[in-house]
Amino acid sequence: MEVLGFFEISVVLFVVLHILRIYFADCDAILHFYERFAKPPERRLRGKVIWITGASSGIGEHLAYKLTELGCKLVLSARRKDELDRVKNQCLSLAQKLFPLTFEEDFLVLPLDITNFSTHEDSVAKALHRFGKVILRQLIFLVNNAGILQMGLSMDCDFDVVFPVLNTNVLGTISITKAVLPHMVQNRNGQIVVISSASGKSAPVPYVAAYAASKHALQGYFNALRMEVYDKNVGVTMICPGLTYSNLFRNAYRENLETRRDLVLPPTTMKPERCAHLIVIAMANCLDEVWIAKPSRLLELYLAQYLPLVRDWWIQRDNRNRNANLTAASRTN
């Protein structure tokens, strides 16, 4: 009985300490451990070729800057070439201050429409033409960051806004991955990084059904893909960030394709620089899945993972309060 009592006390203390850690943390426990105790990421990433989609703003842009500081060679993709050129010039300026032998050829601007599936294999060929010999020697990372957001109650939304969300976030990501994957398998070297979302684990509020569906689809597809390519020395890392400052919200669709408008983000929104730093830790250590979010959202993710019934009660309570406040505000106006 004494041993059992000691065990029970140890479990309770562990749970209490873990909850306290969540209160002060902005990532899951495993990622937090690697951030504090693992080898510096530059030892693993320096000189590696990393292809980032959605690199023109937000998380993708700041990830490019962070990887530049580590001495990586980058392929930068998005639809807006002018914004990619801006990011490239910033990367080049930053790299030349840190690494005197940095050349412009270390950064390739490769405009890409993630929904134009027929162009993806040509884009891979262009990246291989620039970095092919390096790719054969070095581990290549594909960071699937391109995505769009849609917000609005499902019953009020046109189907026209659901299709582009799924087309971009799911089918586009799968298509570019399938174009790169054969080269990784052939070389038995590669890491696929997918910027999913905390909404892919647990949708926090109403109004994001299509977006949450797209991120749940990514979780399912790439978790299965990880099992298929594990023995070929190709890894899959799922990144699940919470609210992060980016143009994702500024460009979000609403009830139809014509009603985009800005969204005021709460103070708990994470800075993209911090998010990019934690993503680099996950990449360097080939972690399977990481959560990056402020404490309140992090707690929701833990509840969804281990106590889903409690999580449902928690979310429903918050949504009732939120809807009551919105109703009261509308009556006042």
Side-chain angles (χ1 to χ4, degrees), residues 232-304:
K232 299 173 178 60
N233 201 36
V234 176
V236 176
T237 296
M238 302 300 297
I239 310 291
C240 301
L243 273 176
T244 305
Y245 286 107
S246 73
N247 289 337
L248 187 70
F249 298 94
R250 181 181 303 169
N251 299 326
Y253 290 119
R254 292 300 181 113
E255 289 76 17
N256 56 61
L257 295 175
E258 307 299 329
T259 58
R260 299 188 186 192
R261 56 185 182 272
D262 285 347
L263 179 70
V264 178
L265 299 178
T268 54
T269 305
M270 179 169 286
K271 293 182 179 180
E273 297 89 344
R274 173 62 178 168
C275 188
H277 168 75
L278 292 172
I279 291 172
V280 166
I281 300 296
M283 291 171 59
N285 294 281
C286 299
L287 301 181
D288 286 348
E289 180 177 295
V290 299
W291 306 342
I292 302 171
K294 292 296 186 178
S296 58
R297 187 70 172 109
L298 203 57
L299 179 60
E300 290 177 9
L301 293 174
Y302 275 105
L303 290 176

Side-chain angles (χ1 to χ4, degrees), residues 4-244:
L4 183 60
F6 174 78
F7 175 77
E8 291 171 342
I9 293 172
S10 299
V11 170
V12 171
L13 286 175
F14 174 81
V15 171
V16 170
L17 290 173
H18 191 54
I19 293 174
L20 289 175
R21 190 207 67 83
I22 293 174
Y23 184 78
F24 295 101
D26 57 5
C27 61
D28 65 84
I30 294 176
L31 181 56
H32 190 196
F33 174 86
Y34 275 91
E35 182 188 18
R36 290 179 61 87
F37 301 110
K39 294 180 180 179
E42 53 264 34
R43 296 187 184 181
R44 178 170 173 78
L45 298 180
R46 180 163 296 171
K48 302 300 189 292
V49 177
I50 300 179
W51 187 353
I52 307 173
T53 67
S56 60
S57 63
I59 292 175
E61 176 183 353
H62 288 277
L63 185 59
Y65 299 151
K66 185 65 180 179
L67 292 168
T68 297
E69 293 175 357
L70 302 180
C72 299
K73 303 176 188 295
L74 301 180
V75 180
L76 304 172
S77 289
R79 289 177 298 175
R80 299 174 294 172
K81 185 179 184 301
D82 56 336
E83 288 298 304
L84 290 175
D85 287 333
R86 176 185 61 81
V87 174
K88 173 189 173 179
N89 291 334
Q90 182 67 20
C91 289
L92 185 60
S93 175
L94 180 61
Q96 288 175 340
K97 294 177 182 177
L98 299 172
F99 310 103
L101 294 179
T102 299
F103 302 100
E104 186 173 358
E105 289 74 18
D106 292 337
F107 302 94
L108 172 63
V109 166
L110 187 59
L112 176 73
D113 182 351
I114 201 71
T115 61
N116 191 353
F117 310 137
S118 62
T119 66
H120 291 176
E121 291 197 4
D122 288 341
S123 296
V124 173
K126 291 176 182 178
L128 289 172
H129 179 72
R130 169 69 70 86
F131 293 113
K133 293 181 180 179
V134 178
I135 287 176
L136 291 176
R137 299 195 310 268
Q138 304 284 8
L139 178 67
I140 180 175
F141 288 80
L142 170 65
V143 181
N144 287 305
N145 178 63
I148 58 175
L149 173 65
Q150 184 269 329
M151 303 185 69
L153 288 173
S154 297
M155 67 180 70
D156 298 332
C157 293
D158 295 344
F159 183 75
D160 289 344
V161 300
V162 177
F163 178 75
V165 174
L166 299 179
N167 205 34
T168 300
N169 295 0
V170 183
L171 299 182
T173 299
I174 292 173
S175 176
I176 194 66
T177 299
K178 286 178 65 64
V180 173
L181 188 59
H183 302 279
M184 292 183 173
V185 171
Q186 180 181 356
N187 297 324
R188 298 187 64 82
N189 227 354
Q191 187 76 14
I192 299 165
V193 181
V194 183
I195 310 299
S196 179
S197 170
S199 294
K201 302 292 292 184
S202 167
V205 292
Y207 323 118
V208 293
Y211 179 75
S214 71
K215 296 303 183 178
H216 274 77
L218 288 180
Q219 294 287 136
Y221 182 90
F222 284 95
N223 283 336
L225 180 63
R226 183 188 298 116
M227 301 298 105
E228 296 178 12
V229 298
Y230 176 79
D231 61 344
K232 299 173 178 60
N233 201 36
V234 176
V236 176
T237 296
M238 302 300 297
I239 310 291
C240 301
L243 273 176
T244 305

